[in-house]
Amino acid sequence: MSDRRRAVHVSTTPEVCRRVAITGLVGALASACSATGSRTGTATGPSGSGAPRASGGAPVGTSAAVSPTGPPTSAIPSATSSPRPSATRPADPASIQALIDHRYDGRNLRLSRERGSTSAYRQYFATYQGDGLTISGRINIPRGRGPFPAVVLAHGYVDPAEYTNGETMLRERDYLARQGYVTLHIDYRNHAQSSTDPDNDANLRVGYTIDAVNAALALKAHPAVDPKRVALIGRSMGGGVVYNAIVAQPRVFRAAVAYAPVSSDSVDNFNKWVRRDPSRSGAAAKVIARLGTPEAQPARWAATSARTFFGRITEPLLIHHGTADEDCPLAWSRESVAALEAKGKRVELRVYPGGRHTLTSPQWDTSIRRTEAFLARHLS
């Protein structure tokens, strides 16, 4: 999953048990929803998100949907909603429901020092506010007359202690900016010059999803950006951010792309990268103390998985994945695509024979051309 290191594989919960648990959860919640009339949404996976911090939320029984140009405005229609686990008990901070209920307030996108500009675009160190935090990043703005379509870029895992501002996804940023897109590569909380969130790991990193949604809202207020044409691209762990964002807050983005994404089932990610990693034993212990183990509490874990709530998605999604991915197996994307198709969602899977976790030329060149064509179709 790491952009710079390989992860150690461990076994996951038996698939049959999880499917039974998820089916039971969704059925039970559907009954609860019809009885209470509540409208809800999705849960966020452990590897692609961070901890939601208390900055307000929607009233119990409502979904804090965000309009394409501003803060939350109305509930998601029940036809695309998934019921919330409880009408009275607050959602667990690691759950998708917490992401649905969260009040997003991305704002104050500021550009400071210019560095790395080219004849095609100008590049700046950037910050924006949201969730009580300041998040740093790197923004490319095409030269010429805007407003331009824009893309939020959610990077894969790099140890936060080693990560530096804007150090990943350089190819995507350069290519898309040359094609006329504003690109905002976000550093996430706890990275580079961003603010600290000490609860992030214990809350399965759902804060990264909050940072991505807030980045979109901050971008939409910038004069260089067309607020009706904003997309999300994530790779690896950032692919989990993509899943979480489009299930939790439909219609914020017009389209989404995931490169070699993690699993849309949070149990897969937790088992592989957290549960058996000695360096993350503290975070694993906190999560299990609150949620229980995936084997003992499958319904609670289903509530933290984007896949459980795929019915909420309204955006088209493109997934790129190599057959020889050493970190995130292609099977994870195939399972996600099957689940999305079962819900009637618009999804494309592009498979690259022999492709590793980080695609190289000529496969990467093909993938980015496909990405740009996909964005041009859906952001027009």
Side-chain angles (χ1 to χ4, degrees), residues 258-282:
Y259 274 83
V262 296
S263 178
S264 57
D265 182 342
S266 62
V267 174
D268 290 335
N269 303 317
F270 181 72
N271 280 340
K272 182 166 186 176
W273 286 295
V274 181
R275 197 174 187 183
R276 304 290 174 83
D277 183 346
S279 69
R280 303 197 62 206
S281 59

Side-chain angles (χ1 to χ4, degrees), residues 114-166:
E114 182 175 357
R115 186 177 65 186
S117 295
T118 71
S119 60
Y121 57 82
R122 302 182 73 173
Q123 182 174 163
Y124 302 90
F125 173 83
T127 60
Y128 62 96
Q129 272 74 50
D131 202 28
L133 307 174
T134 296
I135 304 299
S136 61
R138 192 74 65 86
I139 190 169
N140 291 354
I141 301 178
R143 296 184 186 271
R145 188 172 182 177
F148 304 99
V151 177
V152 174
L153 295 165
H155 66 79
Y157 178 81
V158 178
D159 184 348
E162 300 176 2
Y163 178 91
T164 59
N165 168 249

Side-chain angles (χ1 to χ4, degrees), residues 14-53:
E15 187 64 27
V16 171
C17 295
R18 292 217 302 271
R19 287 180 179 172
V20 169
I22 292 173
T23 301
L25 172 68
V26 173
L29 297 184
S31 299
C33 182
S34 62
T36 63
S38 63
R39 292 179 181 177
T40 65
T42 87
T44 159
S47 51
S49 25
R53 299 169 67 86

Side-chain angles (χ1 to χ4, degrees), residues 77-100:
S78 57
T80 60
S81 297
S82 297
R84 76 174 294 153
S86 170
T88 57
R89 187 170 58 190
D92 186 274
S95 71
I96 296 297
Q97 187 61 52
L99 286 176
I100 296 167

